[in-house]
Structures are given as structure tokens and as C-alpha cells.
Amino acid sequence: MPALFSSSDRLKLPAEKTLWRVITVLFAVAWGLLVWRVGQLASDLNLFDSSTKWQAVRVGTILFMGIWLVFTAAVCSHGYDVISSLTTRLFAWMKRIGILCGLISLALLVVLPYLFYGKYGYLFDDLGSHFALVMLVGLAAAVFLRAAFPEKLSWAGAWVLAPVLVMTAVRLAGFIADVNPSPLTIGWSEASRYYYASLFFSKSVYGVQLPLPFLHPSRYLMQSAPFLIPGLPLVIHRLWQVILWIGMSGLTAALLVRRLKVRGIFAVLGVATWIFLFLLQGPVYYHLLVSVCLILAGVDARKGWRSFVIILIASAWAGISRINWFPVPAMLAIAIYLIETPQSRARSLWRYLTQPALWAAAGVAVAYVAQQVYIRISGNDPSLFRSSFSSDLLWYRLFPSPTYPPGILPMTIAVALPLLVLLGWALLRLRLSWVRSLGLLGMLVVLLGGGVVVSVKIGGGSNLHNMDAFLVLLLVCATWVAFGHAAPEQREAKPVRIHWALIALAAVLPFYPLLREVHPFAQVNQLLSKDDAKEVSVRVQQVEAQGGKVLFIWQKQLVTYGQASDPNLESRYETVDLMEMAMANNPAYMNGFYDDLKNHRFALIVSGVQNLIHKDADSTFPEENNVWVERVSAPLLQYYSSSKVLPYSGIQLLTPK
């Protein structure tokens, strides 16, 4: 894989003729997809019938496609030598303006995100157009990169590096929408995260000590850092979360590249950006990457005790993160050990397995203890931490459904297949002992099974983020082997040569789940947002002046950041907590909620619009909606009535019947 940008005996590079054939065909496919989209738009608007200019565009497009198909056929057959001669002369001229070519390639990285997210992004807001534009701009950027750095970047390297850089630029630009100054949530539960983060500083923020969050404690602990500086606005906290997303994914990529000993600026850039995209396709959440970074930074198979301490620290962090991550730090360390340490070095099988067995047992034990300690100091009912064990399992979401059209299992197989093939091929060529091979594959199977179960839990199944542990372990194992860090069991083991097609496929496949999330930025009316926040604040003050108590089911961050005062803040019954307990059908929590509603404990409830509409199987998240309707909306509307709905934000103000 480092040979992607230079010659190496570990990478089987394509012949120049083969390379150009693939590129020209790929360009034709991408251009065809884009032309099809433009044709659809023009046809929907009847432009072909009403405008001579559009008729000319259609004729010109058809002619261009015909010329390109002829060009493609020429490249793929006997006309290659002529094409090669022409392109050689062209690039000889382009090399003379190498600096300008480099600037053009950078400009292309800026133009495409604007086209995707800008005000005209709706014109190409479909997956086919997204892929076509990324590939077209990527191929163009590859030409200019190659011309700018002819001595440092091969054609094969340019064709792989440029699309990855383009996709990275698109994904990074997508974070801009997350840094929004609106005082209201910009998603169903987006601003709830900042309220949970504030609970670690509840004494200074609210004047009272409130229970700590019981969902994803380590995530909110990381998000709470800006509360060290009192008075920072919500937009700074949103910026901090973006920094965490980019920073932790980037740090993981940097540490992995360092451990893999990648050499050469373009090799480092290409591998690091691809790892960055691979992590975000799940996505693998930033609080989980803390454990991964600790393992990559500190575990060394030759330094058992230092590695043991690092594993304990990483496992303790995993213990307050997610239950299915309890064994992951130890598994990552064991994978490094099995890959780098031949069994033949140990006197016996028992001696060889003693160290990884100790790591596994100690890691899981420390993770469990860390969780129990947190439960006891959090101030919460311990039953709240067991919601994942009582939630329904929706197995159909493993396959294509309205909630996730690609299907969890097909999409996981697709993005993992190149790395699985690479790893399997390497294990066969290196002739690792059965213990080492079985250990690596066994851990992958265990984490894949765990990810499958968690993904089908009600409330999940809309992306690959619950497959995070499996994807991370696969990433580490496959790259470790691909970069030649696997110690063969025997000296006569055959070297591992990676086919270029496998590298190209592994580089491009993460584009699909990432491009599915690309949409034009939603325009937030800041003035209307502030007006709605102000109206909520006024109503809250009126209720409290009369001695009533307010419940923020939704938009609780208004209290956190001072847009609304609530000296008697009710820390329970926030949207995410309430949804989790409703899905888990926690009787103690839900019965307490029902009693408070029946007794009209709250004089005003701030929530989203409640309705009693059930969704069918053709809708997204139907089970979640129906659970909310039955266990939250129905009881709410039984004892409370709507006094007002703020039309812009969708905030509903409920008062006792």
C-alpha cells in the first residue's frame, strides 16, 4: 500500500495501458450519470420543448458523449499508442506550469463542496450525481496534481489520491452546517447533547447538583470542556464538537500512519485521509476513538507491562463509553500482538497465549469496574444503565428498509470486503500459525456479531455506527498486514502482493455511505429562531412568577445557555432520555413520568409537536415513532393540552387540562 505512490514489491501496479483504460471508462460512466441528471432536470422543467438553448445543449451533450465513447474505445483498443503520444506531449507542457496546476487542484477541492452544499446544491442532490461529480473532479484534480509533482507522484498514485482528497474536502465542508449560532436545536436531538455535557458542571451552570448523564458518559465528558469557561455561547460548544469529530478521527489516522511507518508526503497524505474517511463512514464516534488512540500510541508487543497499563487505561475509558466496547481495547492490543509475534518464538502454546489472555481478562474486568463506579457516582437509578438489554430487536433492519435503504448487513459487507479479502490473502501467503489466524478472525467474528445485535436494537439501524468496533479492528488488522508488519511463522513464507484493483476498491467504497449524507445546507432563519426562543422564555417567566414548575422535554439547552430561566430545573424527562426509556419500557422511569403528568406537577411543558399518528412499515423509524406515540404522546395529551405551537421551530407549549 505505501507503494501506491512509488514502486514496491508489495503492490501489483497496473500496466499503463490498463490504467488509462480504467480511467477513461470511469470518466465515461461518471459523465453519463451527470448528463442523465441534467437531462432529468431539464425534462421536468420542460426546457427542451421551450428553449432553443437547451435543445442546443442536448445536441452538444450527445455529440460530446459520442466523441468520448470513441475516445474510450480507442484507448481500450489499438488506438492507445496515439492517445499516449498526445497525452505525453500535453503533460510535458503542463509540467512547465506546475505551480499553477497545483493551485488549480486546490481550487477544485473548494469548488465541489460549494456545489454540493450551496444554494444550487438541490440541482445535484442525488447519489448518482454526487458520485459522478466526486469522480469527475477527482480525475481532473489527479491530472493537475500529477503535473504539479511529476517526480513525487505516479499516475497510479494520483488517480487514487485525488478522489480521496476530494471526498475528504466534501466531508470536512459538511461540518460547517454544525457550527450554527441558532439558540434552538438544529436537529431532533442535536442540542440535547450540550445539555447532557453541562451536567458535569451543573453546580456552576444551574446552581444545583444534578445527576450525571447515563447515556454515553464519556462523550458528554469530552463535550463538557467548554463549560470550564463560564458564559460561552452555544455556537462555541458546537464548534468544539466539530473539533472533536475532526480532531479525534485525524489523530487516530495520524497514529495509525505512524505505527505503519508510512514514508513519503503523498503516501502519508493519501493513507491518512483514507483512514479519516473510513472512520467517518460509520461513523466511529470520537469518544470511542480515545481508547483506539491509547492503544495505537502505547501498545508494543515487545513491552508487555507498558502495554498492560495502557490497556487498563483504555479499557476504563471504554467502560464509561459503551457496553459492547468493553473488550475492544484488549482486542486491538491482542491483534497487534498476534500479527507481530510469531508463535514459534514461545516455548509452548501456553506461554504464547498467556499474555493476550491476561490482557483480555484484565481489560474486560477494568471496563466493568469503571462502569460500576460511574453508576454509583452518577446519582442515577442503576436500572437506567440497563436499557440496552430490554429494548426490542428489529432484525429486518439488517437488510434494505426505509430506515436504511442499503441495509446494515449488505453495506457492512461492501465496505469491509476489500479489507477482508486483503487480510485473508495475507494470512494465507504468510502462513501464520492456526492460533494466530484463528485469533484474528475469531475476534472479528465476535465484534461483527456484537455489531449486528446492537444495530438491530430499536433506535438504531440507520447507519453503520454500531458496527464501529468491527470496522476499527478490521482497519487495524488489514493495514498492519498490508504495510508489511506481520511476522511470518516461517522464513519461506511468500511475500504478500496487493493487487491495485483491491486498493482502488477499498479507497472508493467509503464514498457511498458518506455521500448518502450529503445534502444542501438547510437555511436557518436566525431572527425567527431568536423570536421563538424569546417567546418560550417569556412564557416560562410568567409560569414561574405564578409559582408553577416548568418541564423542558425539548429545547432544554435554552436554560443551559441563559435564553430561558428555570431555577427549579427538572433534570429528567429530556427527549433523548425519555425516548430511550420508552423504547426500553423501563417501568420505574415511565410510571414516574405518568404520575407527574396525572398529578399536573408541571404548569407548563415545552416539547415538540405531539400527535397520535402511527407509522406503517413503509416509513422511516416506524417502531420508534409508534413507541413514542403510545408511551409518551398519548399520556401527554391525556393530561395536557396544547396552548400554542410556534410555527417556525415546531415548539409546542402544553398546559394542564
Side-chain angles (χ1 to χ4, degrees):
M1 215 165 164
L4 186 62
F5 306 97
S6 60
S7 59
S8 170
D9 59 355
R10 289 206 301 275
L11 181 64
K12 186 179 180 181
L13 290 170
E16 186 176 352
K17 184 180 293 188
T18 302
L19 178 63
W20 280 99
R21 286 173 176 172
V22 172
I23 295 304
T24 50
V25 171
L26 185 59
F27 185 93
V29 171
W31 182 254
L33 288 172
L34 195 58
V35 169
W36 178 265
R37 174 61 177 173
V38 173
Q40 280 185 320
L41 291 172
S43 179
D44 293 341
L45 297 173
N46 295 320
L47 294 177
F48 290 135
D49 298 328
S50 60
S51 172
T52 55
K53 292 181 179 179
W54 274 95
Q55 291 174 2
V57 168
R58 177 164 59 179
V59 172
T61 301
I62 293 173
L63 288 174
F64 179 84
M65 285 297 297
I67 293 171
W68 188 261
L69 289 175
V70 172
F71 176 83
T72 302
V75 171
C76 294
S77 60
H78 58 277
Y80 171 75
D81 294 335
V82 177
I83 300 300
S84 177
S85 176
L86 291 175
T87 54
T88 300
R89 295 179 183 180
L90 175 62
F91 290 115
W93 176 80
M94 290 181 67
K95 282 191 270 187
R96 299 176 184 177
I97 54 171
I99 296 177
L100 179 60
C101 290
L103 294 176
I104 293 175
S105 63
L106 289 176
L108 289 173
L109 299 182
V110 177
V111 170
L112 186 59
Y114 176 77
L115 185 59
F116 280 171
Y117 299 115
K119 61 181 179 180
Y120 298 112
Y122 70 92
L123 294 174
F124 303 101
D125 192 19
D126 69 289
L127 191 59
S129 297
H130 287 166
F131 178 77
L133 286 169
V134 167
M135 295 312 299
L136 289 174
V137 174
L139 295 176
V143 173
F144 290 107
L145 277 175
R146 172 78 171 114
F149 305 98
E151 305 300 328
K152 297 182 179 179
L153 191 60
S154 67
W155 273 118
W159 294 128
V160 174
L161 172 63
V164 171
L165 291 179
V166 169
M167 188 64 240
T168 303
V170 169
R171 184 62 191 92
L172 288 174
F175 284 112
I176 295 174
D178 296 336
V179 188
N180 195 300
S182 172
L184 304 179
T185 183
I186 54 177
W188 176 74
S189 63
E190 181 265 344
S192 301
R193 313 299 178 185
Y194 308 105
Y195 161 71
Y196 295 134
S198 72
L199 295 178
F200 288 96
F201 294 89
S202 60
K203 191 70 175 177
S204 61
V205 176
Y206 306 108
V208 292
Q209 188 66 49
L210 299 176
L212 299 178
F214 63 86
L215 291 172
H216 315 298
S218 62
R219 175 181 182 177
Y220 302 130
L221 179 60
M222 294 179 73
Q223 283 189 225
S224 70
F227 286 104
L228 291 169
I229 305 175
L232 290 179
L234 176 57
V235 66
I236 300 300
H237 290 254
R238 284 173 169 150
L239 175 62
W240 173 243
Q241 178 168 236
V242 168
I243 292 172
L244 289 175
W245 274 115
I246 298 174
M248 290 308 303
S249 298
L251 178 60
T252 304
L255 289 172
L256 187 50
V257 166
R258 174 174 167 269
R259 288 297 298 264
L260 298 176
K261 299 178 181 177
V262 182
R263 297 291 181 264
I265 183 171
F266 286 109
V268 170
L269 181 62
V271 175
T273 50
W274 173 76
I275 294 172
F276 180 81
L277 292 178
F278 189 88
L279 293 172
L280 287 178
Q281 73 179 331
V284 181
Y285 280 79
Y286 47 82
H287 61 296
L288 302 176
L289 289 176
V290 171
S291 294
V292 180
C293 288
L294 286 170
I295 297 300
L296 293 178
V299 167
D300 188 331
R302 298 165 299 179
K303 300 178 180 179
W305 283 109
R306 188 187 78 174
S307 299
F308 184 67
V309 173
I310 295 295
I311 292 168
L312 296 184
I313 297 172
S315 297
W317 181 264
I320 62 170
S321 298
R322 294 184 68 182
I323 291 177
N324 57 311
W325 267 71
F326 279 17
V328 175
M331 282 184 167
L332 289 171
I334 292 170
I336 295 173
Y337 172 84
L338 292 177
I339 293 173
E340 294 186 344
T341 310
Q343 183 184 342
S344 56
R345 291 184 186 177
R347 297 177 183 176
S348 64
L349 177 62
W350 171 255
R351 292 290 296 271
Y352 183 74
L353 294 178
T354 298
Q355 182 168 282
L358 177 62
W359 288 355
V364 173
V366 167
Y368 176 78
V369 170
Q371 185 200 50
Q372 296 305 308
V373 170
Y374 180 82
I375 290 174
R376 281 162 176 73
I377 67 174
S378 69
N380 291 293
D381 181 348
S383 69
L384 301 181
F385 294 84
R386 296 192 290 269
S387 62
S388 57
F389 295 105
S390 56
S391 300
D392 294 336
L393 300 180
L394 310 174
W395 293 100
Y396 77 90
R397 289 191 183 172
L398 287 178
F399 308 100
S401 69
T403 300
Y404 190 56
I408 295 295
L409 202 55
M411 195 69 253
T412 300
I413 293 173
V415 300
L417 189 59
L419 298 187
L420 286 172
V421 171
L422 189 155
L423 180 61
W425 173 246
L427 294 180
L428 290 174
R429 298 284 289 183
L430 293 171
R431 298 181 181 178
L432 302 188
S433 68
W434 68 269
V435 172
R436 299 169 69 188
S437 298
L438 185 62
L440 294 173
L441 297 178
M443 290 189 295
L444 286 170
V445 169
V446 168
L447 292 184
L448 176 61
V452 165
V453 173
V454 177
S455 293
V456 300
K457 188 179 83 71
I458 185 173
S462 62
N463 58 23
L464 302 182
H465 86 271
N466 285 315
M467 306 300 295
D468 45 18
F470 166 73
L471 292 175
V472 167
L473 182 62
L474 177 61
L475 174 67
V476 170
C477 292
T479 54
W480 228 270
V481 169
F483 282 86
H485 296 292
E489 204 66 52
Q490 302 170 352
R491 290 186 177 181
E492 60 270 17
K494 300 177 182 179
V496 179
R497 297 194 71 196
I498 308 169
H499 197 278
W500 63 270
L502 197 61
I503 300 298
L505 193 61
V508 171
L509 278 175
F511 291 10
Y512 179 77
L514 290 169
L515 287 174
R516 289 190 72 255
E517 301 174 2
V518 172
H519 300 287
F521 289 154
Q523 299 299 314
V524 178
N525 191 312
Q526 301 298 333
L527 182 60
L528 292 179
S529 295
K530 292 178 181 178
D531 287 345
D532 282 6
K534 185 176 181 180
E535 183 161 354
V536 171
S537 178
V538 170
R539 288 294 300 272
V540 169
Q541 289 177 359
Q542 292 172 349
V543 170
E544 290 178 342
Q546 298 171 1
K549 185 173 179 59
V550 179
L551 170 63
F552 281 85
I553 289 181
W554 200 40
Q555 306 289 356
K556 215 162 201 165
Q557 81 285 346
L558 292 176
V559 181
T560 304
Y561 297 99
Q563 278 82 20
S565 63
D566 188 1
N568 301 310
L569 178 68
E570 172 59 66
S571 63
R572 297 174 299 168
Y573 310 141
E574 204 281 333
T575 296
V576 176
D577 289 354
L578 199 55
M579 184 77 239
E580 183 72 16
M581 292 301 104
M583 292 188 299
N585 197 21
N586 185 307
Y589 186 96
M590 298 308 297
N591 288 336
F593 177 61
Y594 300 150
D595 289 341
D596 286 341
L597 296 180
K598 183 178 181 180
N599 297 327
H600 289 165
R601 180 167 175 247
F602 309 107
L604 176 69
I605 296 179
V606 181
S607 75
V609 176
Q610 304 298 313
N611 60 68
L612 301 178
I613 300 173
H614 283 71
K615 288 185 177 182
D616 57 26
D618 294 331
S619 305
T620 59
F621 292 109
E623 290 82 5
E624 290 81 355
N625 173 81
N626 298 341
V627 162
W628 181 271
V629 166
E630 295 169 5
R631 297 174 183 172
V632 179
S633 292
L636 261 175
L637 297 178
Q638 179 181 357
Y639 299 108
Y640 284 75
S641 60
S642 176
S643 65
K644 189 169 186 179
V645 174
L646 306 184
Y648 178 73
S649 61
I651 295 174
Q652 185 173 37
L653 303 178
L654 299 163
T655 53
K657 286 186 176 180

